[in-house]
Amino acid sequence: QITGVAKTDLAAGSQSLTLHLGKVPQDVMLGPVFAALGKPDEKRIKAAFASFRPAGFMIDVRYSPAPGVVLAGTLEVPQRSGPGPFPVALVMYGTGATTRGGFEAIRARLLADGIATFQYDKRGQGRSTGAFLDTLPEMEENIAAAVALLRTRSDIDPDRIALVGHSQSAAASPVVASRDPRIAAVVMLAGPVGRRGELFITGLKSALTS
């Protein structure tokens, strides 16, 4: 248990509080947090935590899609849907130097429905190692390795893994699924259409201007 007194000059609307716990090699997530004015009341604190039941909890995961590369990921497992094993959705990003985070509404809805989610930092970004090369073959390799990792976990159903990709990852996900018939579903968000490496918008322009 950590207790203390917050400084009084927090900015209006601020919801952040930094605690200096010493030197650690990675980010540390603490929670839940109980905040109250005045001296803490032990009875109120115990009552608050007794009624706290999060939708899920996060697990830091590391995996290697290629020699010399270690990707950092976060698996979020439901807590209100029984013991599992759970179906899982890989929620992935488009082109660019992206890291975990985002798609909060999608992830929250999936957790509420008893579906785990998984995200990862791209190579060379966040806490992932390796050189950042933003190519489809690299992304396909990252996704396939993530699927293989999830299938080794007892809290994940190996035959209920879905790929939810946005833009670039929406193009890579069907390729991975075509090589892996055990993938349960593919969801494409704003995925490009056309020959590999090209984006055709003629149909879209026609629909918007007609």
Side-chain angles (χ1 to χ4, degrees):
Q1 182 180 5
I2 299 173
T3 61
V5 178
K7 61 183 182 178
T8 59
D9 58 347
L10 292 174
S14 173
Q15 298 185 27
S16 298
L17 180 64
T18 300
L19 300 175
H20 295 283
L21 304 177
K23 295 181 178 180
V24 291
Q26 61 187 23
D27 293 338
V28 176
M29 181 175 294
L30 300 176
V33 175
F34 176 82
L37 295 175
K39 185 177 180 180
D41 183 324
E42 193 69 23
K43 185 177 179 179
R44 289 175 59 202
I45 293 174
K46 289 182 178 180
F49 287 137
S51 62
F52 178 76
R53 193 173 178 213
F57 69 88
M58 297 180 179
I59 304 169
D60 283 334
V61 177
R62 300 289 187 273
Y63 70 102
S64 178
V69 176
V70 177
L71 299 188
T74 298
L75 175 64
E76 202 164 3
V77 181
Q79 284 296 283
R80 301 173 183 169
S81 305
F86 302 102
V88 63
L90 277 71
V91 183
M92 299 165 291
Y93 325 93
T95 187
T98 54
T99 58
R100 289 164 287 178
F103 299 107
E104 289 89 352
I106 292 176
R107 287 161 39 216
R109 176 58 188 268
L110 290 170
L111 281 174
D113 288 339
I115 301 172
T117 66
F118 182 78
Q119 295 182 299
Y120 64 87
D121 297 336
K122 285 188 177 182
R123 300 187 193 192
Q125 305 302 311
R127 300 205 172 277
S128 292
T129 68
F132 174 63
L133 298 173
D134 209 15
T135 66
L136 283 173
E138 177 193 63
M139 180 169 279
E140 292 159 14
E141 192 173 48
N142 294 345
I143 297 170
V147 170
L149 166 76
L150 291 169
R151 285 190 175 133
T152 67
R153 297 187 58 92
S154 60
D155 51 358
I156 296 299
D157 186 333
D159 291 311
R160 290 194 294 167
I161 297 177
L163 308 180
V164 181
H166 171 255
S167 191
Q168 185 189 45
S169 60
S173 293
V175 178
V176 175
S178 70
R179 299 168 183 162
D180 185 350
R182 294 177 70 189
I183 296 293
V186 175
V187 178
M188 301 173 66
L189 305 174
V193 178
R195 292 190 297 272
R196 189 184 183 106
E198 297 181 19
L199 177 63
F200 291 93
I201 61 172
T202 304
L204 178 59
K205 287 179 63 177
S206 176
L208 293 176
T209 57
S210 60

